[in-house]
Amino acid sequence: MRNAKKIALSLLILMLVSGCWNSKDIQNMAYVTALGVDYENGRFKSYAQMLNFTNIAKSDTGEVGKPVPIWVGVGEGKTLTESLTTMYATSQIRVFWGHLKALVLSENAMKHGMKEIYDMLNRYREVRYNILMYGTNEPLHEILIQKSILNFSPLDTLMDLPYQIYSQRSFILPEYGYKIIAQMNEPSGLAMIPCLTLDRTGWYEDQDKRSMFRINGAYFFQNKEFRGHLSEDDLKGTRWIQRQLVRSPMNIPDKGPPVATIVLQKPHLYVKPVIENGKARFNIRVSVDAYIDELIKDTPHKKMEEMAGDAIRDEIKMSFKKGLEKKADVFMLDEKLYRKNPKKWHEFHRASPYLLDADSIKTIDIRVSIESSGKYKQRVN
């Protein structure tokens, strides 16, 4: 009798235990992998790139080259939340945001401001912090339907895996959204958002042209204000402040017929602020390693290092000048002053929000060390 009561009590407890009533079949969800945000006429317009992972998962047969369809949902509203919510009305299945990898902002959205956009994304529990952020002047729909080379997965592109390309050609450093927001909140207030564009001339599939992603320059914010766009050519000098720089080629000399192409890596930047006549000026020193990738004309080792140093110095001066035109501190000199002399930084900023002018750089010292000439000796064969 006692055992029967125990069994009955156990059955009653089991009936009260909740089951998997709220579970979702993972194959019946739409996974958002990239989000585009535009702002026009006082309203947000959002574009959500969605993929069916059964189309891109690797199979036992290792099949590649099969076209993968990309779906893009479009929503609109007075707030970003409202624009995303309008997509749910017609999505047919549950939309999942946990696999969001990239955020692409139009120029209008960046001019409107970043705070509202990033506030919404960070608040939502499914969205992770490590989302790559880009700006663009391309139509967002065209960005989000871009296919990969050789019909690989749409996730195997420059937008989602930029560090693979950066390891071979280091120019514009990819940035995660949380780092960009952190930079905006720093006292110096400079933030750089890579510019994602479509190159429609460089690739063919048989006889047909195929567009491919390219990072062409960057957009700048100074003190949370949008300052505009600088191209990759304008920003050549800023690569020498990137400690993560892996491989960046350069012809030497930078003017006239080249005698060699060298590859530079691992730059070390040192900036020393000095106060002269009531203003801040800066001494810049760059040390960088290099190796010879192509030797066109026999040239002494020391001479090539000097030509490389001259080319780097010219690029730094050029990029600094381009930044001044936008009132963007592209070398983050203001931050160096804040770190090393915060008292003077506050004093200067009480008089003017932007401290730099054409005379702000006092000296530029470049030290290039060519470590290797490759498999050949340092001569033309």
Side-chain angles (χ1 to χ4, degrees):
M1 185 66 179
R2 182 177 297 175
N3 289 337
K5 288 182 178 180
K6 289 182 178 179
I7 293 172
L9 181 60
S10 299
L11 291 173
L12 179 61
I13 292 173
L14 287 174
M15 292 177 64
L16 297 176
V17 173
S18 61
C20 300
W21 300 332
N22 197 36
S23 66
K24 306 292 188 302
D25 293 329
I26 60 174
Q27 71 272 17
N28 293 330
M29 289 196 288
Y31 295 90
V32 178
T33 52
L35 177 66
V37 178
D38 194 7
Y39 187 82
E40 191 173 355
N41 299 323
R43 297 176 67 84
F44 284 96
K45 196 169 186 179
S46 55
Y47 300 78
Q49 179 196 76
M50 302 183 190
L51 300 177
N52 184 341
F53 282 0
T54 60
N55 291 330
I56 61 176
K58 298 186 185 302
S59 64
D60 293 337
T61 61
E63 181 183 6
V64 295
K66 183 179 179 181
V68 177
I70 300 175
W71 287 73
V72 177
V74 182
E76 188 174 342
K78 293 180 180 178
T79 64
L80 182 58
T81 299
E82 183 181 0
S83 73
L84 296 175
T85 304
T86 56
M87 276 189 280
Y88 299 156
T90 55
S91 65
Q92 314 303 312
I93 57 177
R94 175 181 167 82
V95 176
F96 183 70
W97 296 88
H99 289 286
L100 182 65
K101 296 171 69 68
L103 172 64
V104 186
L105 306 174
S106 71
E107 290 188 1
N108 285 338
M110 289 185 286
K111 290 175 183 176
H112 174 68
M114 302 282 294
K115 185 178 183 301
E116 186 175 351
I117 296 170
Y118 217 74
D119 180 86
M120 180 270 161
L121 291 176
N122 265 351
R123 284 181 186 275
Y124 191 54
R125 62 187 180 279
E126 290 182 359
V127 179
R128 302 175 185 180
Y129 290 105
N130 56 338
I131 300 172
L132 291 159
M133 184 181 289
Y134 302 97
T136 189
N137 58 358
E138 302 276 359
L140 289 172
H141 176 259
E142 292 186 23
I143 290 286
L144 296 182
I145 63 171
Q146 176 64 37
K147 301 295 181 73
S148 183
I149 191 172
L150 305 177
N151 282 327
F152 282 176
S153 161
L155 298 180
D156 293 324
T157 63
L158 176 62
M159 180 173 70
D160 297 298
L161 299 172
Y163 287 97
Q164 288 190 8
I165 304 300
Y166 187 80
S167 66
Q168 286 191 309
R169 182 179 182 274
S170 307
F171 272 80
I172 305 298
L173 182 68
E175 289 284 6
Y176 288 105
Y178 72 88
K179 289 186 178 180
I180 292 171
I181 297 302
Q183 290 166 357
M184 286 187 180
N185 290 329
E186 286 289 326
S188 57
L190 180 84
M192 183 187 80
I193 301 179
C195 175
L196 189 66
T197 61
L198 294 174
D199 187 319
R200 298 174 174 85
T201 61
W203 287 86
Y204 288 83
E205 183 183 4
D206 297 326
Q207 299 296 321
D208 300 326
K209 286 185 177 181
R210 288 289 180 261
S211 59
M212 291 291 160
F213 281 133
R214 176 172 184 165
I215 294 180
N216 183 18
Y219 294 96
F220 286 88
F221 285 79
Q222 189 80 46
N223 300 320
K224 300 182 181 179
E225 294 182 5
F226 181 73
R227 293 295 168 88
H229 173 264
L230 291 174
S231 71
E232 183 181 278
D233 286 339
D234 294 338
L235 295 173
K236 279 185 177 180
T238 62
R239 52 184 162 158
W240 312 120
I241 69 173
Q242 300 172 18
R243 287 186 175 271
Q244 303 93 326
L245 186 135
V246 182
R247 185 180 189 277
S248 198
M250 170 185 285
N251 292 333
I252 54 173
D254 57 337
K255 298 179 178 66
V259 300
T261 298
I262 62 173
V263 174
L264 299 109
Q265 54 191 359
K266 301 177 183 177
H268 292 274
L269 174 75
Y270 176 75
V271 178
K272 182 180 179 181
V274 293
I275 309 301
E276 291 184 352
N277 300 320
K279 65 173 293 186
R281 301 186 72 197
F282 301 88
N283 295 319
I284 297 175
R285 185 175 73 234
V286 176
S287 300
V288 58
D289 296 334
Y291 63 86
I292 299 172
D293 205 47
E294 182 179 355
L295 188 60
I296 301 166
K297 181 181 178 181
D298 287 327
T299 308
H301 187 94
K302 189 69 175 177
K303 181 65 174 176
M304 285 196 291
E305 290 179 341
E306 290 174 358
M307 287 190 290
D310 291 340
I312 291 173
R313 186 178 295 103
D314 290 343
E315 288 185 355
I316 290 174
K317 290 179 179 178
M318 180 271 298
S319 293
F320 179 73
K321 181 180 178 182
K322 293 291 184 180
L324 283 180
E325 294 173 2
K326 302 284 186 180
K327 286 194 173 182
D329 179 12
V330 297
F331 290 100
M332 303 182 73
L333 302 177
D334 191 59
E335 182 188 21
K336 300 298 190 297
L337 176 63
Y338 174 76
R339 300 296 178 193
K340 296 185 179 182
N341 197 336
K343 183 177 179 180
K344 281 293 182 182
W345 184 90
H346 283 289
E347 179 184 326
F348 291 150
H349 272 269
R350 280 193 289 268
S352 173
Y354 187 72
L355 305 183
L356 303 181
D357 58 31
D359 195 41
S360 291
I361 295 181
K362 183 178 180 181
T363 62
I364 302 176
D365 179 26
I366 310 296
R367 303 174 186 180
V368 178
S369 177
I370 297 179
E371 305 290 341
S372 170
S373 57
K375 292 187 292 184
Y376 288 158
K377 294 182 179 179
Q378 192 174 312
R379 59 181 172 82
V380 176
N381 289 273

